[in-house]
Amino acid sequence: MILEGTHINKYFYDPDKHQVLKDNSLQISEGELVSIYGESGSGKSTLLYILSTLDTDFEGQLFIQGQDIKKLDSTALTDFRNKHIGFVYQFHYLLPEFNVLQNVMLPALKLREKSRVAIQQDALALLDEVGIAEYAHRPSYKLSGGQQQRVAIARALINDPTLIIADEPTGNLDQKNTDIVFKLLQNITENRGKTVLIATHNPKIYKNSTRTIEMIDGSIRL
Amino acid sequence: MPKPVLNTTNLFIAFQYLLTRKKQSILATLGVMLGVTTFIVMVNFMTGVNDFLDDAVFNGSPDIIVGATPDGKKKKQNFGTAIHALAKVEEIDHFLENDQNVSSFAHQIISPAILISTTAQLPGSINGVFPLEERKMVDLDRRLLSGKGFKSLLQGHTILLGVSLAKRLEVVVGDEVNMLLSNGKNMKLEVSGIFSFGITTIDNVRTYVSAKTLQKLMHQENKITNIHVKLKNRDDVALKTVLSENFKAITTQDWKDSNKTIVIGNKVRDILTWSVSFALLLVAGFGIYNILNITVIQKRKDIAVLKTIGYAARDIVFIFLIQSIIIGLLGAVFGTSLGYLISYIISTTPLDTSDFIIVETYPINFKLSYYILGFLFGVITTVLAGYFPSKKASRVDPVTIIRGI
Ligand SMILES: Nc1ncnc2c1ncn2[C@@H]1O[C@H](COP(=O)(O)OP(=O)(O)O)[C@@H](O)[C@H]1O
Ligand SMILES: [Mg+2]
């Protein structure tokens, strides 16, 4: 069991108190490719932010790799996220001050488990895997959206995390790039044995996942 | 155990931010530089002037002057009045010898006189001094432009002249001047030395002759008019009050009374230096604060991303704070260097002699402590200015930002 959430409730207080997530419990095992689909506004993103430890302001319990997330202070939590979770957003945000290679290296430079040279080799290998190796030294903002999303996937993988969470990773991409990105995410589970959790609208993605979860009005249907 | 925030990665990110905003970084650095430079130049110059005046005035005049109170009806201080001899001199001497704060004291007989050379007649203030005592009070050797110091007065027929007076009398060392006293007596004296204190009011009128010569000429054997006192701690002038309480017919004056304008001038210069430098550094600090604040707002997304990929709040604080520290250090290094350069140039700039002071170039004080202070001043300002935007950066909530991307 890589992820176990029980009775997760989430409230927002703006404009007034309303419940966005209602008593969600789910378990995800290693090597799964799980899709969450559902209408816009049903609470997919909110759940993913909680599961990726970015949002700790929720009711219920969350264990990732046996670690009770609520028992970590904010510094320990960022370290935990750095090592165990890769995150890909819809808007594939890369840091414009850095080139493509540096963007991929940043999480590993923070982790500091390997030398700079080793990290650079890993990053180049990952860029090769996502097909961006030739642009490694370009400023990140000089890539197309699809290319940037592939770099973001490489960045999510650099620390070899067990869990990759992607919030509508193809939401802004055309069909061709959507296929490429989804293929990459599939490969992550199939070739590397990682666990991937995707929120998506795209039927092609949720139909090709190992498991599909539907989110309706803040509650998941397994 | 959290990892230290000072690491190559965080430095690398901080430098990358500084370099991609070159113009702003340079402007901020220039701002700090300007503040520090101004501080250095002003402090160097203002304290230079203060020290110069202190040195010239306070070393040229005693810390406390004891004189006789004019007895009876107040006579007009016309040229021609008799001197007011000091009474109970031995008792006062005894008193001074036993005072802890007295470093030395000397007797003087002071009288106005007309000095006559072959080309001019000018009024002067004749200080009749006891050369061996006076040497301990006034470091005249350092002030000598030509001739010899107090020791040359031991001959009896010699006179030391302030430089402006000598110039107007058109005499040089070795020439003769005639001293005409109020009682009509006169005496030919040989100029044995010419000195300059750098202060026009002194150099214009002061002369030294042997006290014995003056006493004899005035028929006031063994009489003196003043006792000059040098203190160990000049700021403690309690002695002045104690003296006037213990002795009746005397007037006492301390250096603050005699040099009010200079004391006030020094204060004004100090205030000016600190307030102007402070204001400039404040402006520079605000500049940095603004630049970093804007950067933090512009870079919210980047900060959010850094947080999601594992950079902790403390890393973010460091990444932004180190930028302002780098700006502060660079600004301080350039500022102190430029400050030194400008001060140096000023110190070699010839100065048109004013009516008040006589110097060849501007007096500049190159004290190391001012440079250290200026440096710290610049760095501390920038650190303070950078702290709040950095804190703000560290509080960016990644969820809120990523939702909005
Ligand atoms: N910061 C917030 N304050 C108040 N309501 C919010 C906030 N963020 C999201 N919501 C609301 O929570 C609900 C779920 O949003 P979200 O998780 O983004 O849905 P999805 O990703 O499925 O489109 C929506 O109704 C949205 O308006
Ligand atoms: Mg969403």
Side-chain angles (χ1 to χ4, degrees):
Chain A
M1 195 70 50
I2 192 148
L3 183 148
E4 181 168 15
T6 42
H7 306 301
I8 292 174
N9 290 306
K10 170 78 186 176
Y11 301 89
F12 281 117
Y13 299 89
D14 192 26
D16 37 41
K17 183 173 172 176
H18 57 290
Q19 192 167 4
V20 173
L21 294 180
K22 293 160 191 162
D23 196 35
N24 289 301
S25 296
L26 81 165
Q27 298 183 337
I28 297 173
S29 335
E30 212 145 320
E32 278 193 284
L33 174 59
V34 181
S35 302
I36 303 179
Y37 71 98
E39 277 179 26
S40 175
S42 57
K44 303 184 295 293
S45 295
T46 308
L47 181 64
L48 287 199
Y49 295 141
I50 289 171
L51 299 184
S52 61
T53 76
L54 285 174
D55 184 359
T56 49
D57 180 23
F58 63 93
E59 279 176 8
Q61 275 192 311
L62 175 61
F63 286 84
I64 295 174
Q65 292 196 306
Q67 171 68 51
D68 185 349
I69 291 311
K70 289 201 162 173
K71 292 225 165 93
L72 296 173
D73 68 20
S74 77
T75 307
L77 198 61
T78 34
D79 284 345
F80 182 85
R81 189 159 59 234
N82 180 234
K83 192 165 166 53
H84 298 290
I85 303 170
F87 203 85
V88 181
Y89 339 82
Q90 181 172 353
F91 285 89
H92 49 71
Y93 197 80
L94 303 179
L95 303 188
E97 279 81 8
F98 302 87
N99 68 26
V100 167
L101 181 63
Q102 288 167 338
N103 264 282
V104 176
M105 290 168 72
L106 278 174
L109 289 172
K110 167 64 191 177
L111 187 64
R112 285 151 68 81
E113 273 182 359
K114 291 181 177 172
S115 74
R116 211 185 167 82
V117 177
I119 292 170
Q120 188 161 336
Q121 278 169 359
D122 287 358
L124 283 169
L126 278 169
L127 283 173
D128 194 36
E129 222 175 298
V130 300
I132 304 291
E134 57 183 309
Y135 304 125
H137 296 283
R138 266 205 196 176
S140 53
Y141 58 86
K142 285 191 177 163
L143 297 189
S144 73
Q147 290 170 329
Q148 288 196 34
Q149 192 62 301
R150 281 139 76 184
V151 176
I153 290 170
R155 180 175 68 188
L157 293 175
I158 186 76
N159 281 345
D160 204 23
T162 36
L163 179 62
I164 287 101
I165 294 180
D167 188 5
E168 306 204 28
T170 61
N172 267 355
L173 303 181
D174 57 19
Q175 193 55 51
K176 184 174 147 254
N177 276 301
T178 299
D179 291 346
I180 293 172
V181 165
F182 183 58
K183 190 84 209 125
L184 284 172
L185 292 170
Q186 266 185 322
N187 286 346
I188 295 169
T189 45
E190 281 166 17
N191 303 346
R192 294 171 175 251
K194 306 288 178 199
T195 311
V196 177
L197 177 59
I198 312 175
T200 183
H201 274 113
N202 193 322
K204 204 170 170 183
I205 291 182
Y206 60 73
K207 280 178 187 152
N208 286 298
S209 304
T210 53
R211 184 148 65 105
T212 304
I213 298 170
E214 191 182 3
M215 168 80 76
I216 300 172
D217 197 18
S219 299
I220 53 173
R221 306 281 155 83
L222 298 173
Chain B
M1 198 62 226
K3 295 164 196 163
V5 289
L6 175 59
N7 57 57
T8 47
T9 305
N10 287 352
L11 280 175
F12 165 70
I13 296 173
F15 267 106
Q16 209 68 24
Y17 277 133
L18 280 176
L19 291 179
T20 44
R21 287 175 292 117
K22 265 194 208 93
K23 220 193 252 167
Q24 282 176 322
S25 308
I26 290 172
L27 270 178
T29 310
L30 286 179
V32 180
M33 184 180 92
L34 192 69
V36 174
T37 303
T38 312
F39 172 75
I40 296 282
V41 173
M42 286 196 60
V43 163
N44 278 181
F45 181 66
M46 296 298 194
T47 62
V49 172
N50 285 0
D51 288 359
F52 170 81
L53 289 176
D54 274 8
D55 187 43
V57 174
F58 300 139
N59 293 334
S61 58
D63 296 327
I64 291 182
I65 300 173
V66 183
T69 313
D71 44 354
K73 314 148 251 166
K74 252 204 158 173
K75 292 173 197 164
K76 258 193 148 190
Q77 284 282 321
N78 274 337
F79 185 76
T81 47
I83 62 159
H84 300 295
L86 195 61
K88 294 191 181 169
V89 173
E90 270 171 40
E91 282 164 55
I92 299 175
D93 279 0
H94 185 71
F95 190 89
L96 292 175
E97 272 157 17
N98 289 322
D99 191 281
Q100 295 290 325
N101 197 23
V102 172
S103 110
S104 61
F105 64 93
H107 294 171
Q108 290 213 349
I109 173 163
I110 297 177
S111 166
I114 302 265
L115 293 171
I116 303 160
S117 70
T118 47
T119 54
Q121 295 191 8
L122 291 169
S125 168
I126 313 293
N127 289 23
V129 296
F130 298 89
L132 299 178
E133 285 177 33
E134 197 67 20
R135 269 158 55 91
K136 291 180 204 151
M137 303 282 296
V138 178
D139 182 9
L140 197 68
D141 290 345
R142 193 157 62 84
R143 309 280 179 195
L144 273 181
L145 299 180
S146 55
K148 297 192 187 107
F150 284 125
K151 264 195 167 166
S152 65
L153 295 180
L154 290 170
Q155 291 166 245
H157 296 285
T158 44
I159 186 167
L160 303 170
L161 293 179
V163 64
S164 314
L165 189 59
K167 268 197 189 125
R168 288 187 298 142
L169 286 168
E170 294 180 39
V171 293
V172 293
V173 171
D175 288 353
E176 267 193 352
V177 292
N178 200 355
M179 176 175 72
L180 176 63
L181 292 174
S182 52
N183 60 5
K185 291 268 163 105
N186 74 321
M187 185 176 190
K188 282 206 163 29
L189 298 166
E190 185 195 327
V191 179
S192 63
I194 291 174
F195 58 84
S196 169
F197 280 93
I199 306 279
T200 316
T201 48
I202 296 179
D203 291 346
N204 246 343
V205 294
R206 186 172 297 181
T207 68
Y208 290 106
V209 300
S210 157
K212 294 237 168 68
T213 308
L214 198 57
Q215 284 168 342
K216 225 180 278 166
L217 210 56
M218 296 176 83
H219 298 297
Q220 301 277 355
E221 315 282 333
N222 294 327
K223 291 267 171 29
I224 61 163
T225 57
N226 297 83
I227 301 176
H228 286 184
V229 184
K230 272 260 181 264
L231 299 177
K232 283 177 188 147
N233 173 14
R234 181 196 287 155
D235 293 319
D236 175 14
V237 291
L239 178 65
K240 183 182 106 167
T241 343
V242 179
L243 274 174
S244 38
E245 276 164 10
N246 278 280
F247 299 96
K248 281 205 181 86
I250 62 166
T251 57
T252 49
Q253 236 192 4
D254 66 35
W255 58 274
K256 284 180 194 158
D257 303 330
S258 338
N259 300 295
K260 272 203 180 89
T261 48
I262 288 171
V263 172
I264 292 170
N266 283 1
K267 275 215 182 94
V268 168
R269 273 184 291 276
D270 277 348
I271 293 169
L272 213 66
T273 306
W274 289 104
S275 53
V276 169
S277 312
F278 184 73
L280 274 167
L281 278 172
L282 206 68
V283 171
F286 259 107
I288 290 173
Y289 174 82
N290 265 327
I291 289 172
L292 274 178
N293 234 350
I294 292 167
T295 307
V296 167
I297 292 167
Q298 286 172 343
K299 292 283 154 206
R300 280 194 317 265
K301 292 177 187 175
D302 302 55
I303 296 165
V305 170
L306 282 171
K307 280 189 157 185
T308 59
I309 64 176
Y311 287 80
R314 33 207 296 281
D315 294 310
I316 307 289
V317 170
F318 178 84
I319 287 168
F320 280 86
L321 196 54
I322 197 72
Q323 294 179 51
S324 66
I325 292 174
I326 290 167
I327 288 172
L329 284 175
L330 283 178
V333 167
F334 291 142
T336 42
S337 313
L338 187 64
Y340 176 79
L341 193 73
I342 294 177
S343 300
Y344 178 78
I345 291 170
I346 294 176
S347 79
T348 56
T349 305
L351 176 61
D352 246 353
T353 304
S354 73
D355 289 341
F356 183 53
I357 53 173
I358 305 160
V359 272
E360 277 158 20
T361 57
Y362 287 92
I364 294 286
N365 188 344
F366 288 104
K367 240 194 220 160
L368 180 66
S369 57
Y370 296 139
Y371 287 81
I372 296 172
L373 200 65
F375 192 90
L376 289 179
F377 226 32
V379 174
I380 290 170
T381 312
T382 47
V383 169
L384 281 181
Y387 179 76
F388 298 99
S390 307
K391 262 288 177 212
K392 187 168 153 184
S394 76
R395 282 196 291 263
V396 164
D397 174 26
V399 174
T400 319
I401 304 297
I402 291 165
R403 267 188 194 285
I405 289 181

